[in-house]
Amino acid sequence: MKAIAEFEFSPQSLDIQETPCKILIVDDEERIRAAYRHLLAGEGRIIEECGSGSEARHRLEDRDVDVLILDLNLPDIHGLDIMEWMVHQHVPTAVVVFSGDESIDSAIRALRHGAFEFIRKHGDPQELIDTVDRVLHRRRIEREQALMTVRLEQSERLHRFLVEQSPDFIYTLDKDGLFIFVNGRVQAMLGYTREELLGKHYSMIVYPDDLEHARFVFNERRIGERASNNVEIRLQTRTRGVRHFENRTIVTILSAQGIYAANGQPTDRQFMGTSGVARDITDRKKAEETIAFQAFHDLLTGLPNRILFKDRLGVALKQAKRKNKRVGVMFIDIDRFKLVNDTYGHHEGDELLKCFAERSRSCLRSGDTLARQGGDEFTVLLPDLGNGDDATVIAAKMLAELKRPFKVAGLDFFTTVSIGIALYPDNGETPEVLLRNADIAMYQIKGRGKNGYLHYAPDMHSGHSMRLTLEGDLRQALEIGDQFELYYQPQISFSQRRTIGMEALIRWHHPRYGLMMPDTFIPLAEDTGMIVALGEWVIDRALCQLASWRSKGFTRLQLAINLSPKELERGDLPERIMRRLDTYAIPAEVLDIEITETLLMQDAEKNISTVKQLRNCGLKVSIDDFGTRYSSLNYLRRFPINSIKIDQSFVRDLNPDKQSSTSIIHAIACIARSFDLRILAEGVESEAQRQMLSGLECDDMQGFLFSQPLTAAAFEGFLSGSDFPARDRATAPLM
C-alpha cells in the first residue's frame, strides 16, 4: 500500500470575534467566592458565582461557561458528582478544582474525572491565577480550532492540517502492521522522523514488555463502540526511553479501530488496516505517582507514614504466622524535641527530624521499615525476628548511634530517645494491639528518666487503664459537681502574728478511691482540657466561701488561687473573673492569681498582655515556685506582678549549720526588693526554717509549721482560735 503523500496547507485568517471569557465560581462560602472574584478579575472576563451544586448544574446547562472553579465539598452535591454529570451531559467547560479537601484520593479522582488541575485552597493564590490563565488560553485555542473545523469541515486539506497540528500522535497501519501514515507529532513525542517510521512495523516503537498487550490494539479490526479505547501502552523513544500515554478523562489513552474499503456491502468490506490515536501523558503520570507517594509517605523525611506502616505491619504479621516467626514493633519518641522547636524554631526542628530519620535508618536491616507517625514520634517494623533479643540489639544500636551530637542552629545538640518494644505474638497479634503496647512501653521509659528502651509487660497496661478510668470519672465528677472540695492553707505574717490570707487547694472525693490529692488528677485534667472547667469551679466556690467569711467580719483576707497555663490562654479570662467578683460583691484587690514561673518562658509576649489585663482590673498576680525554672530577669521586669513565692524546695534546704543554704533565698529576696515585690515562703515546716527566713526579711509564710490545709469549717476556726488569728474583724458577726 502506498504511503499518503506530504501536503502543505496555509489556512486563510479566520475572522474570530473576541467574546468575553466566562468564569463560574462554585463554593458554599461567600467570602471565599468574593476572594476568588477579586483574584481572577480582569479585562474581557465575566465572573459568575454559585453557592451550591444544584445552582451550578443549572447554570452549566447553558454550555457557555469557559472555566469552572469548583469546590468539592458543597452542601448538596459533591463536586465529583458534578464533574461526572458534566461528562454524561457533554458539558465542554474546563474544570479547575480548588478545594480545601486534603484527601489524596479526592485529588486523583478529580484528575480522572477530567479536572484540568487540582489546587488546594491553602496553597499560593498565584497558582490559581496562573492555572485559570492557562485554561483560558487553551480554551481560546480550542475555540479557534472549532471555528476552523466548522467553516472548512468538508475540506480534506483542512482535515490533514488539523491532523498535523494535533497534540496527539495519529497514525495509520496497513493490514500487516506497517506504518503508512504518521503525523508530525511523532517527532516531538518519540524522536523519530516521518521517514524513519513509514514502512516500519509498529513494534519498533513499543516497549518490549508491552508487545503482547499492544498486539491487540495495533491489529484492531473492530469499529465503533467495540473498538479498542483508552488502552495504556508504553512506547519507547528513538533513544529507547519509555513514555506513557493517556486520554483526558481516564488513565489509558491508546485508541484504535479498523479501516475498511468503502465499496461493497458492509459484511463484504475489505479490511485495509488500522488507525489510531495516542496522547502523551508522561507529566500526568508523574503527577499521579507524586500524589500516590504523598498519600503513603511523610513529605518531610520521605519515610512511610502511619498508613503505609500499618499496611506493611499487617503483611508481616501474616507471613510471621505462616513461618512461625516473631515480629518486633518499636515506638520511638525524641526526648526534648519540643525544646528545639521552642528555642530555635520549627525550621531547625524539621532539620533535626530529617537528620534523626537518616541516622535511625542506618541502624536497621534492609527489610526493616522506619516510619514517621507524626511530630517527633517514629515507629519501626522488625520482621522475621528469631527471638526478642534481636529487637533489643537494634534498640541498643540506635541509642549508641544517637550519642553523636546533631547540628542545630550551628551548635552541637545532644538528644536521646525513648523506645518502647512490643513483640508478636507475645504482646499482641494485630497491628493495633502491637502499636498500642509499644506506645505504652515507650511512655513507661519516659517516666523512668528517658534515654532508653523497654519491652512491653502486661502490668504496664493497668496504669493506662487506670488513667482512662480516671478520665471518665473526672468528666462525670465535673458534670455532677459535688465530689470536689476546697481546702485552705493559711498564709501568715509572723511579725504581726496574724493570718493575712489563704491559698485555695482542691481535693477530689472519688467514690471508689477516696480523697485524692491534686497531683493525682490535675495533670490528667490539663492533658484532656478539663482543667478549664475545673478552674471555673475552683474560682466560683472559693469566691463564694470568701464572701461568707467577709460577711462574718474577716474583710482583709487575701485569697490565692492557682491558675493553669491553659486557663491563661483564654482571652476572656479577666472578664470571667470580674463577673464572679461582681456576683459575690468582692473587691478585686483581695484576689491573688498565682501563675507558674514556666509561663515566663512560654509565649511571653501574649502572657505579659494577659497579666497586664488582670492587673488593670485591680487583681493581684503572683509567681508561684519562683526560682525553679530559667526565667529571664528581663521578663520579670516586664511582668506587672505583685509578689513571688519562694519554692518549698529552697526552704527545705535551709540549714542553720550551713551558711550557703541561705544564698538562693537571699538572692531571691534581693531581686524581690529591687522590683518592689512582696515575697512569701511556702513549705515552712520547722522553727529553724522560720527563724532563718525571718533573718532574711521574709516575713510572710505558709507551711505545716503553722497549719496544714484545712476544710472551710476548720479554717474558720483557725481564724479565731489559733496563735495567728485574723484580728482585723471590723464588725461582729451578724446574728
Side-chain angles (χ1 to χ4, degrees):
M1 185 177 292
K2 192 175 180 179
I4 298 176
E6 295 278 358
F7 63 88
E8 293 183 0
F9 178 68
S10 300
Q12 297 179 354
S13 177
L14 295 176
D15 183 18
I16 300 175
Q17 183 179 359
E18 289 289 344
T19 58
C21 300
K22 294 184 179 181
I23 301 174
L24 178 61
I25 301 171
V26 181
D27 197 294
D28 59 337
E29 294 191 36
E30 184 176 357
R31 62 181 181 83
I32 293 182
R33 297 200 303 270
Y36 295 177
R37 177 187 289 274
H38 177 73
L39 281 174
L40 302 177
E43 185 178 355
R45 294 183 179 183
I46 298 175
I47 300 179
E48 303 175 36
E49 58 185 68
C50 294
S52 66
S54 57
E55 292 177 13
R57 288 207 312 193
H58 180 73
R59 177 64 186 86
L60 290 168
E61 288 176 350
D62 293 339
R63 289 174 165 76
D64 62 346
V65 176
D66 293 288
V67 183
L68 172 63
I69 310 298
L70 180 63
D71 184 17
L72 294 181
N73 296 318
L74 297 173
D76 53 344
I77 305 174
H78 197 272
L80 294 178
D81 295 331
I82 294 176
M83 294 170 66
E84 186 173 355
W85 173 84
M86 291 173 65
V87 172
H88 292 315
Q89 297 297 320
H90 304 290
V91 177
T93 301
V95 180
V96 176
V97 175
F98 193 62
S99 174
D101 190 347
E102 298 293 334
S103 170
I104 299 300
D105 289 339
S106 295
I108 295 175
R109 291 176 62 193
L111 292 173
R112 291 182 177 177
H113 276 68
F116 179 84
E117 191 65 78
F118 182 98
I119 306 175
R120 291 182 170 83
K121 285 185 178 179
H122 303 300
D124 186 354
Q126 188 62 41
E127 187 178 1
L128 175 62
I129 296 172
D130 295 342
T131 300
V132 171
D133 289 342
R134 291 198 306 272
V135 174
L136 291 177
H137 179 70
R138 190 190 71 174
R139 295 284 291 179
R140 173 175 172 76
I141 294 175
E142 291 176 348
R143 190 182 297 115
E144 292 173 355
Q145 290 183 348
L147 287 171
M148 189 182 300
T149 303
V150 170
R151 294 188 178 190
L152 303 174
E153 186 176 4
Q154 304 302 320
S155 171
E156 181 180 354
R157 284 193 171 188
L158 176 62
H159 171 71
R160 293 190 178 188
F161 173 78
L162 293 175
V163 168
E164 286 301 314
Q165 298 301 315
S166 172
D168 302 329
F169 168 37
I170 302 174
Y171 66 88
T172 303
L173 302 172
D174 66 12
K175 59 183 179 180
D176 296 322
L178 306 179
F179 286 107
I180 58 176
F181 170 76
V182 291
N183 68 344
R185 174 63 174 160
V186 68
Q187 187 163 2
M189 183 182 291
L190 300 178
Y192 291 100
T193 63
R194 198 192 311 263
E195 290 74 17
E196 287 177 311
L197 287 185
L198 292 177
K200 301 297 191 300
H201 196 265
Y202 68 81
S203 60
M204 180 178 179
I205 65 171
V206 178
Y207 188 62
D209 291 350
D210 288 358
L211 272 175
E212 183 63 26
H213 185 48
R215 183 170 60 86
F216 299 97
V217 183
F218 282 100
N219 293 307
E220 180 61 75
R221 289 173 172 260
R222 296 170 297 182
I223 60 175
E225 295 182 355
R226 298 181 59 208
S228 296
N229 190 35
N230 302 325
V231 180
E232 184 178 4
I233 298 293
R234 289 179 292 177
L235 303 184
Q236 59 186 6
T237 65
R238 194 171 186 272
T239 57
R240 294 298 185 260
V242 179
R243 303 295 291 264
H244 297 272
F245 296 86
E246 174 187 82
N247 68 4
R248 291 184 179 182
T249 56
I250 53 178
V251 174
T252 57
I253 180 52
L254 185 59
S255 301
Q257 63 179 358
I259 303 175
Y260 292 85
N263 58 337
Q265 297 297 322
T267 55
D268 300 329
R269 286 185 300 179
Q270 181 182 3
F271 174 68
M272 305 292 292
T274 303
S275 66
V277 179
R279 173 162 295 176
D280 181 2
I281 58 156
T282 304
D283 293 338
R284 182 171 299 181
K285 291 293 287 186
K286 289 180 179 178
E288 287 189 3
E289 290 171 0
T290 299
I291 291 173
F293 180 86
Q294 292 175 351
F296 300 107
H297 290 80
D298 171 56
L299 298 185
L300 177 65
T301 61
L303 297 176
N305 61 14
R306 66 177 65 197
I307 298 174
L308 181 55
F309 181 85
K310 193 173 180 179
D311 180 72
R312 290 185 180 179
L313 177 56
V315 173
L317 293 179
K318 291 179 181 178
Q319 293 176 345
K321 185 176 182 180
R322 187 167 57 250
K323 298 178 181 179
N324 195 27
K325 291 278 190 176
R326 274 187 167 84
V327 174
V329 174
M330 299 167 61
F331 209 107
I332 306 172
D333 184 87
I334 302 177
D335 303 326
R336 302 191 306 141
F337 176 75
K338 187 176 184 299
L339 178 62
V340 175
N341 271 346
D342 292 345
T343 306
Y344 300 108
H346 289 279
H347 173 73
E348 293 297 334
D350 290 346
E351 291 301 315
L352 175 59
L353 289 174
K354 289 191 286 188
C355 293
F356 171 81
E358 184 177 349
R359 281 203 205 172
S360 298
R361 239 181 329 211
S362 68
C363 301
L364 304 177
R365 304 168 301 173
S366 59
D368 299 337
T369 297
L370 174 67
R372 185 184 178 199
Q373 293 290 303
D376 61 338
E377 292 183 334
F378 295 79
T379 50
V380 177
L381 168 62
L382 305 171
D384 296 328
L385 293 180
N387 55 67
D389 293 338
D390 295 341
T392 301
V393 171
I394 294 174
K397 184 179 179 182
M398 294 183 71
L399 291 175
E401 174 64 24
L402 295 174
K403 287 183 178 179
R404 293 188 294 112
F406 292 89
K407 284 293 182 182
V408 176
L411 302 174
D412 285 345
F413 180 79
F414 291 88
T415 188
T416 57
V417 293
S418 299
I419 304 175
I421 303 173
L423 297 174
Y424 166 87
D426 311 64
N427 307 134
E429 298 185 357
T430 65
E432 294 79 10
V433 172
L434 287 168
L435 282 169
R436 181 197 67 194
N437 291 342
D439 189 19
I440 290 173
M442 184 269 290
Y443 275 104
Q444 287 286 323
I445 195 64
K446 269 192 172 296
R448 299 183 186 183
K450 307 177 182 178
N451 189 23
Y453 57 85
L454 192 65
H455 282 265
Y456 171 80
D459 59 350
M460 296 178 184
H461 189 68
S462 59
H464 276 63
S465 299
M466 175 68 171
R467 177 183 171 89
L468 292 175
T469 300
L470 278 181
E471 180 179 338
D473 292 345
L474 185 57
R475 291 187 188 278
Q476 187 175 10
L478 283 170
E479 293 175 2
I480 298 173
D482 61 356
Q483 295 182 10
F484 301 108
E485 182 181 7
L486 287 184
Y487 279 53
Y488 300 89
Q489 186 166 34
Q491 296 176 341
I492 64 98
S493 169
F494 190 80
S495 63
Q496 301 178 42
R497 299 196 66 82
R498 70 178 181 90
T499 301
I500 58 175
M502 59 284 184
E503 180 179 4
L505 302 168
I506 191 171
R507 301 290 187 265
W508 181 11
H509 292 280
H510 194 282
R512 291 193 302 278
Y513 305 124
L515 187 67
M516 300 182 71
M517 297 294 104
D519 290 346
T520 306
F521 61 91
I522 290 297
L524 176 62
E526 290 179 335
D527 290 344
T528 58
M530 288 186 278
I531 190 65
V532 175
L534 198 60
E536 292 273 357
W537 184 92
V538 170
I539 292 174
D540 186 76
R541 187 58 56 92
L543 291 178
C544 179
Q545 182 62 65
L546 179 60
S548 173
W549 286 329
R550 289 175 63 84
S551 69
K552 297 177 182 180
F554 301 106
T555 57
R556 294 178 59 191
L557 289 173
Q558 190 81 27
L559 173 64
I561 295 178
N562 291 286
L563 201 64
S564 165
K566 291 187 180 296
E567 295 176 89
L568 198 70
E569 291 173 1
R570 298 187 57 175
D572 62 343
L573 175 65
E575 292 80 1
R576 290 188 292 112
I577 293 177
M578 293 307 297
R579 281 199 300 269
R580 280 171 170 73
L581 288 170
D582 291 340
T583 299
Y584 296 109
I586 296 175
E589 62 268 16
V590 305
L591 183 59
D592 188 359
I593 300 297
E594 294 188 355
I595 59 176
T596 62
E597 189 182 7
T598 307
L599 287 176
L600 298 177
M601 300 290 289
Q602 297 177 351
D603 201 355
E605 297 303 324
K606 179 180 177 181
N607 291 331
I608 288 172
S609 175
T610 303
V611 171
K612 285 181 178 178
Q613 293 179 46
L614 295 173
R615 293 288 291 117
N616 290 337
C617 292
L619 300 166
K620 288 184 169 60
V621 179
S622 299
I623 296 182
D624 194 13
D625 302 333
F626 186 79
T628 59
R629 298 295 185 268
Y630 306 98
S631 57
S632 166
L633 291 182
N634 180 50
Y635 284 154
L636 186 61
R637 176 182 60 82
R638 296 175 61 198
F639 268 85
I641 61 174
N642 301 93
S643 60
I644 56 180
K645 294 182 70 174
I646 300 175
D647 187 67
Q648 59 183 342
S649 61
F650 301 129
V651 175
R652 190 182 306 118
D653 291 339
L654 288 175
N655 187 338
D657 300 324
K658 190 176 181 182
Q659 187 67 26
S660 61
S661 65
T662 63
S663 57
I664 294 180
I665 296 180
H666 177 70
I668 294 174
C670 290
I671 292 172
R673 283 194 293 271
S674 66
F675 287 104
D676 194 23
L677 301 176
R678 168 195 176 224
I679 58 173
L680 182 144
E682 58 182 354
V684 182
E685 298 182 355
S686 69
E687 176 61 21
Q689 292 171 347
R690 198 278 308 162
Q691 291 179 7
M692 296 183 72
L693 288 168
S694 296
L696 294 170
E697 300 183 21
C698 179
D699 186 61
D700 295 348
M701 312 177 195
Q702 72 180 68
F704 283 11
L705 176 63
F706 312 107
S707 174
Q708 62 183 358
L710 304 170
T711 64
F715 182 77
E716 187 171 331
F718 182 89
L719 293 177
S720 302
S722 70
D723 292 337
F724 301 93
R727 296 175 178 173
D728 55 328
R729 287 187 288 178
T731 60
L734 299 176
M735 300 301 290

